[in-house]
Amino acid sequence: MKETKGDANSDILAELVVKGMQEKKASDIVIINLKSLKNAVSDYFVIASATSDTQLDAIATSIEEEVFKAIKQNPWQSEGRINKEWVLLDYVDVVAHIFLKDKREFYALEELWGDASIKHVDTV
């Protein structure tokens, strides 16, 4: 499959999201590549866990800061900041999911995309 400029942009965006997660010590970071799937809602899902609602909020803020600093882009949509169990930052081509550990196990997003390529990111 030929890579387009949009593909390259989503690759960069996914790496920026991971960097923002790593800045605040997110755990169990996973990148799900959805590019090859028909009718995928995004190019990537990037998922991480937080140990507290304070860390969850800090990770989400860090992602927003890293992405804006590098490419001047804000999320198109942001959900979950009030409940602080699962925060979703939608950058259209890349969707970041930050979960409290028990909520991540409950929703098990990684299991929904069995055909997708899944990359586990080492924590820094």
Side-chain angles (χ1 to χ4, degrees):
M1 176 166 50
K2 183 179 176 187
E3 185 172 294
T4 65
K5 185 178 178 192
D7 289 340
N9 289 343
S10 65
D11 294 345
I12 292 166
L13 182 54
E15 290 303 320
L16 290 169
V17 168
V18 168
K19 184 178 178 188
M21 290 174 167
Q22 290 173 325
E23 286 291 320
K24 296 300 177 184
K25 308 293 187 230
S27 59
D28 304 319
I29 301 171
V30 172
I31 301 171
I32 303 176
N33 185 333
L34 304 169
K35 289 180 186 180
S36 64
L37 302 182
K38 187 176 180 180
N39 300 322
V41 297
S42 183
D43 286 349
Y44 292 100
F45 276 4
V46 184
I47 305 170
S49 297
T51 56
S52 68
D53 59 353
T54 304
Q55 185 189 24
L56 184 131
D57 195 45
I59 293 167
T61 300
S62 179
I63 292 167
E64 290 172 330
E65 290 171 352
E66 286 295 329
V67 171
F68 190 81
K69 181 172 61 176
I71 60 173
K72 306 292 186 251
Q73 186 175 344
N74 287 313
W76 174 70
Q77 189 80 21
S78 177
E79 299 287 338
R81 278 238 161 88
I82 294 171
N83 292 339
K84 294 189 180 190
E85 294 178 341
W86 173 7
V87 173
L88 180 143
L89 300 174
D90 186 349
Y91 287 95
V92 182
D93 291 334
V94 176
V95 180
H97 300 269
I98 309 106
F99 287 96
L100 290 179
K101 285 187 183 284
D102 62 329
K103 294 299 176 188
R104 182 170 178 178
E105 290 171 12
F106 178 79
Y107 288 105
L109 287 187
E110 292 96 326
E111 294 174 21
L112 296 176
W113 302 101
D115 295 345
S117 166
I118 298 176
K119 176 183 172 190
H120 296 269
V121 178
D122 295 329
T123 50
V124 191

